[in-house]
Amino acid sequence: MSMRGPGRGFLTEAEKANAPKITKELLARVFSYLKPYWKQMTLVLCAIVISSILHLYPSILTGKIIDVGLGQKNLDALVFYIMLSLALTLGANMIGVLESYLNTWIAQHITYDMRNQMYKHLSKMSVRFFTENQQGDIVTRMTSDIGGVQQVITSTFSSILSNSITLITALVAMYRKNWILATVGIIIVPLFTIPSRKAGKTRWTLTQKSQEYNDKINSILNETMSVSGQLLVKLFGMEWFEQREYERVNKKMIDLNIKESMAGRWFRVVISTFSSIGPMLIYFIGGLLMIRYGADLTVGDVTVLVSLLSRMYGPVNSLLNIHTEWIRSMALFTRIFNYFDMPIEIENAPDALTPEKAIGNIEFKNVFFQYNPERMILKDVSFKLDAGHSIAIVGPSGSGKSTLINLIPRLYDVTDGSVLFDGIDVRKLDLSFLRNAIGVVSQDTYLFSGTIRENLMYASPFGTKDQMIEACKKANIHDFIMRQEHGYDTQVGNRGLKLSGGEKQRISIARVLLKNPSVMIFDEATASLDSISEKAIQDAIDPLITSRTSILIAHRLSTILAADEILVVKDGRIVERGKHEDLVKQGGVYTELYNTQFNPDLKKEEKE
Ligand code: ATP
């Protein structure tokens, strides 16, 4: 949410409740990011001190201009003080430019460091992390939160510094002129700041409410203006409902915006009234002291005091917000650090092994697995797959088939037991070696937006064009690609939405073939394809099954028949195993599956 304007000085209830504990460790950690830039920071500090002092000087020189230049009708002195005043302002502004450049430079470099560190860290997180966290949260952490750090450095840190320095120098200068007027000034400043804070708070509450409605509008748009959302709305004929809802929220938001804008108007009235009371009081009391009590004050002195007073409003107001900004900044850092501190679940063992060559023998030894402590998903799974052979895994939906294959490339680690690759526990193998050796065609194929060629070459950035075409021919997709207007340079659309499920699967088979892994894992799509697509996929995978080590989660009889062995999984256990002819006669889980899902006669009946 935007925190510009009068709202910056207030914390929401949620922010108050979640205010971070500011510990020495936290501060040390924040400062550890600033440390590499300490030279630049020292320069910024000097620039801030010099420019704050230089900025105040013209106010003090006003006194000389009035008393010496104008009062004594001394033209030389008048010109001198005017020129000096202009030169000092120019100097202060030049230093100000240097200061903002350095500030931005430091802030950008710190966010650059943090973003890279975060991306690297997130890339190492396990799939579990990505399934358990909303994608939006991760993106927010990467963009808004780290972007916020930049704001903290360019604005919060430097505003604390420059405002404190301006305030102190202004106070010292005022007291040196006249202590009575300086004290009056100090009493006046809160008179101005307190009412304006109150007015600001009202406006801020309204802004927050309107922001809530803005979020609602965004969420309605996101949900209903997406392809799947529109399909749902259209198919259920709910256009009228969505329109009514949209209009209602939209109306609420404009009502709030009008209120907020008027509150802003009142806010400005309050500010300008109060800020004009201050100078008048100084003139009045200064005049009183000069006229009635013969105080040692000149017209110039009073003018200087008025001018210094007006320079104090800004810094005082900002410093009143410091507490809020400080809490908010620390909360920001805490959120980012929480992400950095999340343990990396699956990473290379310190003494990870990298065998010279991957053969492709796979063994599960009494494997148990759970996603969360409540439920054991895989129970005592043991099987062996020798290189060059193939296994088909079948079982009812939710029985744990995908979970089982996810353990091989270490998308998850076993809870108990072990998975061996070429006789070595996968947890002891180098991760990139292991993942290079295993190719997975998953059920829901993911294509990046880009061209077909880019998607294919993702598997083998240094592969040749001939290799790419050969892989596509094997995957039975080359002819389809060549029929497209732009051939291999056809855009696949947002996440491959322009392609059918069958086409996407064949592209992803070609992608895995280009990678040329020792073991191929194929999670057959459950979604039914038409018989032509099904045949095309079947023709693509049949030769694969016979030519390389493969594990197939099978939903089609032809896939099952092509495998050397069938494992039947139910409730996370292997309940039957063997050849089709034997299993089908057993009258167990497989027979039932066969009768309900795979039996070709049954499929024919269904189609009729
Ligand atoms: P299907 O044939 O429908 O794809 P499957 O046999 O492949 O099913 P799995 O995807 O392995 O089944 O799921 C096994 C069980 O684990 C299911 O009950 C599922 O709800 C649960 N499960 C799957 N993924 C997760 C996860 N990330 N967190 C928690 N539970 C999960």
Side-chain angles (χ1 to χ4, degrees), residues 127-128 131-132 371-372 375 377-378 395-404 406 412 443 523 526 553 555 569:
V127 179
R128 186 195 303 275
T131 44
E132 282 175 5
Y371 286 104
N372 40 49
R375 190 156 72 102
I377 305 285
L378 295 182
S397 175
S399 55
K401 305 179 293 292
S402 310
T403 307
L404 194 151
N406 283 343
Y412 294 91
Q443 213 176 70
D523 196 345
T526 32
I553 297 186
H555 297 287
V569 181

Side-chain angles (χ1 to χ4, degrees), residues 8 66 111 180 225 272 464 561 605:
R8 282 179 66 177
I66 291 173
T111 47
I180 300 177
M225 290 290 138
S272 66
T464 63
L561 292 177
E605 268 171 37

Side-chain angles (χ1 to χ4, degrees), residues 307-325:
S307 161
L308 286 174
L309 181 77
S310 64
R311 289 208 166 260
M312 282 167 68
Y313 291 145
V316 167
N317 214 12
S318 293
L319 289 173
L320 283 176
N321 292 343
I322 286 291
H323 169 72
T324 308
E325 295 214 2

Side-chain angles (χ1 to χ4, degrees), residues 51 102 105 111 125-126 133 137 175 182-183 287 317 327 336 402 417-418 442 474 484-485 491 522 525 540:
S51 81
L102 281 174
W105 189 92
T111 47
M125 297 308 279
S126 64
N133 286 281
D137 285 352
Y175 269 96
T183 314
N317 214 12
I327 301 263
I336 295 173
S402 310
S418 53
S442 55
K474 278 192 187 155
Q484 305 305 304
E485 195 187 341
Q491 292 285 338
F522 190 83

Side-chain angles (χ1 to χ4, degrees), residues 220-343:
I220 292 180
L221 285 178
N222 272 333
E223 282 193 358
T224 58
M225 290 290 138
S226 67
V227 178
S228 13
Q230 270 299 312
L231 274 176
L232 187 74
V233 172
K234 286 195 166 47
L235 293 178
F236 282 86
M238 290 298 267
E239 286 93 341
W240 63 273
F241 175 80
E242 297 298 344
Q243 275 163 20
R244 202 182 57 184
E245 186 60 13
Y246 187 74
E247 271 174 29
R248 188 182 69 82
V249 179
N250 210 353
K251 177 81 177 63
K252 268 256 188 272
M253 197 180 70
I254 62 156
D255 289 346
L256 281 167
N257 280 347
I258 292 172
K259 263 197 198 151
E260 186 205 328
S261 155
M262 281 325 285
R265 190 70 201 84
W266 286 116
F267 176 68
R268 282 205 295 279
V269 170
V270 172
I271 289 185
S272 66
T273 314
F274 273 87
S275 49
S276 58
I277 291 176
M280 293 309 142
L281 257 177
I282 299 265
Y283 280 129
F284 176 68
I285 297 175
L288 207 65
L289 289 175
M290 279 165 72
I291 299 161
R292 278 279 158 86
Y293 301 99
D296 180 22
L297 269 175
T298 61
V299 177
D301 290 340
V302 177
T303 322
V304 170
L305 284 162
V306 168
S307 161
L308 286 174
L309 181 77
S310 64
R311 289 208 166 260
M312 282 167 68
Y313 291 145
V316 167
N317 214 12
S318 293
L319 289 173
L320 283 176
N321 292 343
I322 286 291
H323 169 72
T324 308
E325 295 214 2
W326 181 250
I327 301 263
R328 207 169 271 151
S329 309
M330 288 303 134
L332 189 71
F333 278 110
T334 311
R335 274 204 304 275
I336 295 173
F337 292 155
N338 281 345
Y339 256 56
F340 280 148
D341 289 343
M342 270 184 297

